[in-house]
Amino acid sequence: MGFLAKEINLVAIGGGHGLGKLMSALAFLGTSLTGIVATTDDGGSTGRLREESGCIAWGDLRNCLNQLAADQPNLARTLFEYRFECDGTLQGHNLGNLILFALDQLSVRPMDVIHLIRDFLQVDAQLIPMSEKPTHLIAEIDRRYVRGETKIDAADHLPSFLALEPSVQATHEAVLAIKQANYIILGPGSFMTSIMPPLLLSDIVMAILQQAVPIIFVANMQPEKSSCGKLSLTEQLDWLAQLTKIKVDRVIWPAERTPIPRAYPKLHVARLGDAKQPYYHDKTSLQQAIMSVIQQY
């Protein structure tokens, strides 16, 4: 695996717990691993900060940083993950989100904040917000305008239209990372609210299409509760191609999830579940599956 690590320059795109687990699984790649992180979350502590201040969504970035630092028994990581349980305005807030928000107020760019926290948590992998400007996911569902990830994910039907509001530019470091990549991974995570938001930025899509490198899709351990969960694998990837023109080259599918889509020709099936949390990917198993697929190119 050491030899392969020298040959790989990998970009992973997504958000939430899924991207964090994948980044953690591939952390051995060091600075050759880049995560482009969705910044459209509007739920929980992140959503409250966004509503009150108009900042970008820091929650998915924080989650990735925490999972990348998970093997380091330091006080910094513990503090970064601490969630307040008290009466009053701090109830439910995550200290890591507040730290990121505070540093954002003191910095020129959100990227400056991420570099600082990466050093603080001793994280080598690179993390880049999809955009440094705040934006929200919007959709048209059943001829109704719907704004915000939380509401879109809760809808029963698939959107006929998906976009960002306001329109923002991709972080230029994200575009550069894609141009230098020789592998791109999408997922795991919520299809509409973790994977799709970065792919709604034209600069990111154009860079992916121009790069013409293998695109690997990592399926979730179980169907989503959103309307995307009702789609077959083929339908989901056809919808992705329809919205972005991006075509997936290979799918990593958990053997625990049935039925296995036998009709899909480029499927790598492996046991990926965590023994203690069967609905989550096991870090080691995920790493082995991804490296196995990469070896086939």
Side-chain angles (χ1 to χ4, degrees), residues 130-244:
M130 67 181 214
S131 176
E132 294 185 285
K133 300 294 183 182
T135 186
H136 286 272
L137 192 65
I138 62 168
E140 182 180 293
I141 304 174
D142 296 332
R143 298 184 180 180
R144 293 185 300 108
Y145 168 86
V146 181
R147 184 176 188 266
E149 284 193 2
T150 306
K151 292 180 180 178
I152 291 172
D153 249 349
D156 292 330
H157 299 119
L158 199 68
S160 56
F161 174 81
L162 202 62
L164 299 173
E165 185 183 73
S167 177
V168 293
Q169 284 192 322
T171 308
H172 69 82
E173 287 90 344
V175 176
L176 180 61
I178 293 170
K179 290 181 177 180
Q180 295 175 340
N182 51 20
Y183 298 96
I184 294 173
I185 295 183
L186 306 179
S190 170
F191 192 82
M192 281 192 297
T193 58
S194 289
I195 298 170
M196 281 305 304
L199 302 180
L200 296 173
L201 293 167
S202 59
D203 287 348
I204 285 180
V205 171
M206 188 178 300
I208 292 173
L209 295 176
Q210 290 176 345
Q211 190 65 358
V213 299
I215 298 175
I216 302 164
F217 180 82
V218 180
N220 295 330
M221 290 300 301
Q222 59 180 340
E224 294 182 45
K225 294 181 180 178
S226 73
S227 57
C228 278
K230 302 173 184 177
L231 300 179
S232 69
L233 173 63
T234 300
E235 289 171 334
Q236 201 171 52
L237 297 185
D238 283 349
W239 194 56
L240 170 67
Q242 179 185 336
L243 291 174
T244 66

Side-chain angles (χ1 to χ4, degrees), residues 1-2 4-5 8 10 18-30 33 67-68 71 185 187-188 216 218-219 221 252-253 268 270-274 280-296:
M1 192 172 292
L4 279 172
I8 295 171
L10 191 149
L19 180 62
K21 179 58 69 74
L22 185 140
M23 294 286 290
S24 178
L26 299 177
F28 71 94
L29 292 172
L33 172 65
Q67 292 200 54
L68 281 164
D71 294 332
I185 295 183
I216 302 164
V218 180
M221 290 300 301
I252 295 176
W253 186 272
H268 179 89
R271 297 197 69 82
L272 300 175
D274 188 310
Y280 290 86
H281 293 82
D282 173 72
K283 185 168 71 172
T284 302
S285 299
L286 185 57
Q287 178 194 101
Q288 292 172 347
I290 291 170
M291 298 311 295
S292 178
V293 167
I294 285 176
Q295 283 181 311
Q296 297 173 27

Side-chain angles (χ1 to χ4, degrees), residues 74-83 94-96 99 120:
N74 57 36
L75 178 60
R77 182 178 60 82
T78 303
L79 288 173
F80 209 64
E81 187 61 13
Y82 177 77
R83 191 174 296 275
N94 183 284
L95 182 56
I99 291 172
F120 183 55

Side-chain angles (χ1 to χ4, degrees), residues 19-140:
L19 180 62
K21 179 58 69 74
L22 185 140
M23 294 286 290
S24 178
L26 299 177
F28 71 94
L29 292 172
T31 56
S32 295
L33 172 65
T34 300
I36 298 176
V37 189
T39 55
T40 48
D41 186 14
D42 65 348
S45 170
T46 298
R48 288 164 60 191
L49 282 175
R50 296 199 67 189
E51 185 177 351
E52 294 168 6
S53 68
C55 64
I56 67 170
W58 284 104
D60 286 359
L61 285 156
R62 172 194 55 77
N63 195 300
C64 289
L65 285 162
N66 276 329
Q67 292 200 54
L68 281 164
D71 294 332
Q72 301 174 19
N74 57 36
L75 178 60
R77 182 178 60 82
T78 303
L79 288 173
F80 209 64
E81 187 61 13
Y82 177 77
R83 191 174 296 275
F84 290 94
E85 296 181 6
C86 59
D87 294 331
T89 56
L90 284 177
Q91 167 65 29
H93 266 305
N94 183 284
L95 182 56
N97 287 345
L98 296 177
I99 291 172
L100 288 166
F101 171 67
L103 290 172
D104 189 22
Q105 302 300 296
L106 298 171
S107 302
V108 176
R109 303 176 58 198
M111 280 301 302
D112 297 336
V113 177
I114 295 167
H115 291 320
L116 180 62
I117 296 299
R118 280 177 59 216
D119 291 342
F120 183 55
L121 295 176
Q122 300 176 42
V123 167
D124 292 326
Q126 303 180 74
L127 285 168
I128 305 173
M130 67 181 214
S131 176
E132 294 185 285
K133 300 294 183 182
T135 186
H136 286 272
L137 192 65
I138 62 168
E140 182 180 293

